[in-house]
Amino acid sequence: GKSVIMSKLAKKVGIAMLGPPLAAGELERPLVGQSEAIILSLCMRGNRLPHLMCCVSIDEIDSLAPRRDEDSSEGKVAKISVLLSVIEGIKDVPNLMFFSATNRLHMMDEAFLRRMSGKFFVGRPSSISRKKILEGIPNHIIKLEIREKLATATTNFSGAALK
């Protein structure tokens, strides 16, 4: 998934992951501030490694920072406020990068998005990329000529769907 891609990207450019890539669902906790405390403790590891560029990676961040509206519950607003305070607190860690990913940008909290210094769109894999992904399947399972046809037939598939 996206978190694996983020990990590979971090490794490729020499950035240390401060923990395993997290899915926001793994951080869902019943009490306000619990999931944010986990994020903060991961981020604070970067303070202990000032010589190293570090990152924390969270997939499905939209579930931790959903768009607020007039119907938002107090708990939802409080949760986003705590997450925003964590983001404010970690911006002073100069060697820390915060990678987050979502498929639902339109459902994200605006205040959270404003605090992200860069936003990058990652599209579906190209025909060449799909061929490379499908090359991971052994020949005795799928023959080469079928793999070629699959690369064409899977236009608009995500990398995860191909695997």
Coordinates of all heavy atoms in Angstrom, one line a residue, residues 3 7 17-23 26 42 45 56-58:
S3 N 1.8 3.1 2.5 CA 2.8 3.2 3.6 C 4.1 2.5 3.2 O 5.1 2.9 3.5 CB 2.2 2.7 4.9 OG 1.7 1.4 4.7
S7 N 7.7 4.2 2.9 CA 8.9 3.6 3.5 C 10.1 3.4 2.5 O 11.2 3.7 2.8 CB 8.6 2.2 4.1 OG 7.7 2.4 5.2
M17 N 13.2 5.8 9.2 CA 11.8 5.7 9.8 C 11.9 5.5 11.3 O 12.7 4.7 11.8 CB 11.1 4.4 9.2 CG 11.0 4.5 7.7 SD 9.8 5.7 7.1 CE 8.3 5.0 7.7
L18 N 11.2 6.3 12.0 CA 11.2 6.3 13.5 C 10.3 5.2 14.0 O 10.3 5.0 15.3 CB 10.8 7.7 14.0 CG 11.8 8.8 13.8 CD1 11.2 10.1 14.3 CD2 13.1 8.5 14.5
G19 N 9.6 4.5 13.2 CA 8.7 3.4 13.6 C 8.2 2.8 12.3 O 8.4 3.3 11.3
P20 N 7.4 1.7 12.5 CA 6.9 1.1 11.3 C 5.8 2.1 10.7 O 5.2 2.9 11.4 CB 6.2 -0.1 11.9 CG 5.9 0.2 13.3 CD 7.0 1.1 13.7
P21 N 5.6 2.0 9.4 CA 4.5 2.8 8.8 C 3.2 2.4 9.4 O 2.9 1.3 9.6 CB 4.5 2.4 7.3 CG 5.9 1.7 7.1 CD 6.3 1.1 8.4
L22 N 2.5 3.4 9.8 CA 1.2 3.2 10.5 C 0.0 3.5 9.7 O 0.0 4.4 8.9 CB 1.1 4.1 11.8 CG 2.2 4.0 12.8 CD1 2.2 5.2 13.7 CD2 2.1 2.7 13.5
A23 N -1.0 2.7 9.8 CA -2.3 3.0 9.2 C -3.1 3.7 10.3 O -3.0 3.3 11.5 CB -3.0 1.8 8.8
E26 N -4.9 1.8 12.9 CA -4.1 1.2 14.0 C -4.0 2.2 15.2 O -3.7 1.8 16.3 CB -2.7 0.9 13.6 CG -2.7 -0.2 12.5 CD -1.3 -0.3 11.9 OE1 -0.4 0.5 12.1 OE2 -1.1 -1.4 11.3
L42 N 6.5 8.8 18.9 CA 7.4 8.4 17.7 C 8.2 9.6 17.2 O 9.4 9.5 17.0 CB 6.5 8.0 16.6 CG 6.0 6.5 16.6 CD1 5.0 6.3 15.5 CD2 7.2 5.6 16.4
R45 N 11.4 10.7 19.1 CA 12.6 9.9 18.9 C 13.6 10.7 18.0 O 14.8 10.5 18.1 CB 12.2 8.6 18.2 CG 11.5 7.6 19.1 CD 11.2 6.3 18.3 NE 10.3 5.4 19.1 CZ 9.9 4.3 18.7 NH1 10.2 3.9 17.5 NH2 9.1 3.5 19.5
V56 N 8.1 10.0 10.2 CA 7.0 9.2 10.7 C 6.0 9.1 9.6 O 5.8 10.1 8.9 CB 6.4 9.9 11.9 CG1 5.1 9.2 12.3 CG2 7.3 9.9 13.1
S57 N 5.5 7.9 9.3 CA 4.7 7.7 8.2 C 3.3 7.2 8.6 O 3.2 6.2 9.4 CB 5.3 6.7 7.2 OG 4.4 6.2 6.3
I58 N 2.2 7.9 8.2 CA 0.9 7.5 8.6 C 0.0 7.5 7.3 O -0.1 8.5 6.6 CB 0.2 8.5 9.6 CG1 1.1 8.5 10.9 CG2 -1.2 8.0 10.0 CD1 0.6 9.5 11.9

